[in-house]
Amino acid sequence: KQEVTQIPAALSVPEGENLVLNCSFTDSAIYNLQWFRQDPGKGLTSLLLIQSSQREQTSGRLNASLDKSSGRSTLYIAASQPGDSATYLCAVFTGNQFYFGTGTSLTVIP
Amino acid sequence: EAEVAQSPRYKITEKSQAVAFWCDPISGHATLYWYRQILGQGPELLVQFQDESVVDDSQLPKDRFSAERLKGVDSTLKIQPAELGDSAMYLCASSPQGGWGNTEAFFGQGTRLTVV
């Protein structure tokens, strides 16, 4: 069974800092990896989708990389803002379903 | 912008009562998922539909949970009877049928269930 791990579980940074969130998965046979944002008590908002053949995707201040062979992905957030405070989840798609990590809770301090 | 709609947003129910959640996926999306997310954890799949057919319900507690997607459009998830351990966020997601690399999940706002 696919296992997805996210490190760290929680992160607190001052506004303006660049930061990296990590995601690892045990089975490299994936079709894509998706990063989501979840605000407290809300659903999941898709941030970036990286296909298995891609190395990275960028959207604004967000950059996600994928190293399928080593089972790792990183989400880089540049110039963090208080509005970035949320839980960030990664999910891998195996062709059958999406497997999620437990998330990284990010707090950006003004 | 098209969204996955879920209702209700919040539900409080007494244990042993029945409860139902509704989901309307993005129009044209063939695949529909129900996930359960316990506080502090990642979502876990309960059931997956392809059109009106169940593709995977191996994680669905079938003694108390049921799900249907009549006509392959909207879907209902039911719990009867509810137990205290069912308190969680229930998330519905849909994805279009397409190339696997492009398969992207779109989630609704979820239903927060509290069983008392």
Side-chain angles (χ1 to χ4, degrees):
Chain A
K1 179 187 174 184
Q2 179 75 260
E3 300 284 344
V4 182
T5 304
Q6 291 188 247
I7 295 173
L11 182 63
S12 184
V13 300
E15 181 178 2
E17 269 203 10
N18 303 324
L19 58 101
V20 175
L21 307 180
N22 297 292
C23 171
S24 62
F25 45 95
T26 54
D27 188 344
S28 62
I30 65 169
Y31 286 91
N32 64 46
L33 184 145
Q34 203 167 346
W35 281 93
F36 293 89
R37 169 185 172 137
Q38 186 173 33
D39 293 294
K42 299 290 182 67
L44 278 64
T45 300
S46 180
L47 298 173
L48 289 164
L49 170 73
I50 311 177
Q51 297 179 36
S52 62
S53 59
Q54 298 176 322
R55 297 285 292 181
E56 65 179 88
Q57 279 286 345
T58 298
S59 176
R61 295 182 294 109
L62 305 179
N63 176 275
S65 67
L66 174 64
D67 184 342
K68 199 175 94 163
S69 61
S70 67
R72 294 179 183 177
S73 176
T74 61
L75 179 66
Y76 175 83
I77 302 177
S80 59
Q81 302 171 358
D84 295 332
S85 298
T87 295
Y88 291 81
L89 293 144
C90 68
V92 297
F93 181 62
T94 61
N96 294 319
Q97 61 170 288
F98 296 89
Y99 289 90
F100 284 84
T102 53
T104 294
S105 177
L106 173 65
T107 302
V108 180
I109 304 167
Chain B
E1 183 175 315
E3 294 182 343
V4 176
Q6 288 189 249
S7 66
R9 288 292 311 279
Y10 306 94
K11 180 71 177 178
I12 299 175
T13 191
E14 294 183 348
K15 65 179 181 179
S16 80
Q17 295 298 304
V19 64
F21 315 130
W22 177 79
C23 171
D24 190 12
I26 293 173
S27 178
H29 281 194
T31 308
L32 185 147
Y33 309 85
W34 283 101
Y35 279 85
R36 177 170 61 184
Q37 185 180 26
I38 295 170
L39 191 63
Q41 299 183 18
E44 292 190 336
L45 182 69
L46 289 174
V47 61
Q48 177 185 347
F49 290 91
Q50 185 70 25
D51 299 310
E52 68 276 10
S53 300
V54 173
V55 174
D56 185 351
D57 63 357
S58 57
Q59 301 300 311
L60 189 71
K62 298 182 189 62
D63 57 333
R64 298 185 299 108
F65 286 64
S66 63
E68 61 181 13
R69 190 184 184 196
L70 299 177
K71 301 181 181 179
V73 182
D74 58 340
S75 175
T76 303
L77 178 69
K78 297 179 182 177
I79 308 175
Q80 183 174 17
E83 296 180 352
L84 295 177
D86 296 331
S87 295
M89 174 78 87
Y90 290 82
L91 294 161
C92 178
S94 69
S95 64
Q97 197 165 17
W100 295 118
N102 290 324
T103 300
E104 182 175 3
F106 297 86
F107 280 79
Q109 288 299 303
T111 295
R112 168 69 70 186
L113 173 67
T114 302
V115 182
V116 297

